[in-house]
Amino acid sequence: MTDLEKRAHDIAVRILPQMIEENQISYYVSNDGRHEFFNAADIVDEYQMVYEDILNELQNPK
C-alpha cells in the first residue's frame, strides 16, 4: 500500500459513519426475530466509493 492509499483509507474509515448516516444506509438488512443480519455489502460499497474518490483527489489535486 502506498502512502496515498494509506491516507485515503484512513480518511475513508474516519468519515464512513457520517456517509452511512447521510445516505441513510441501514446497519442491518433483516431480522429473523432472533438475529439481526449485518448489512455488510452496502457498507463495503459505500467505503469503496468514498475511498476511491479520496484516493483520486489525493493523486490528482486540483
Side-chain angles (χ1 to χ4, degrees), residues 4 6 12 19 29 35 41 43 59:
L4 287 180
K6 288 178 188 176
M19 298 302 296
V29 288
H35 302 95
I43 293 171
Q59 291 174 334

Side-chain angles (χ1 to χ4, degrees), residues 2-6 11 14 16 19-22 26-27 31 34 38 41-42 46 50 56-57 59 62:
T2 68
D3 287 341
L4 287 180
E5 290 169 336
K6 288 178 188 176
I11 294 169
R14 174 83 178 186
L16 187 60
M19 298 302 296
I20 290 170
E21 185 176 321
E22 285 179 10
S26 174
Y27 287 102
N31 183 337
R34 293 179 45 179
F38 193 64
D42 288 346
E46 186 72 15
V50 170
N56 186 42
E57 286 294 321
Q59 291 174 334
K62 294 179 183 178

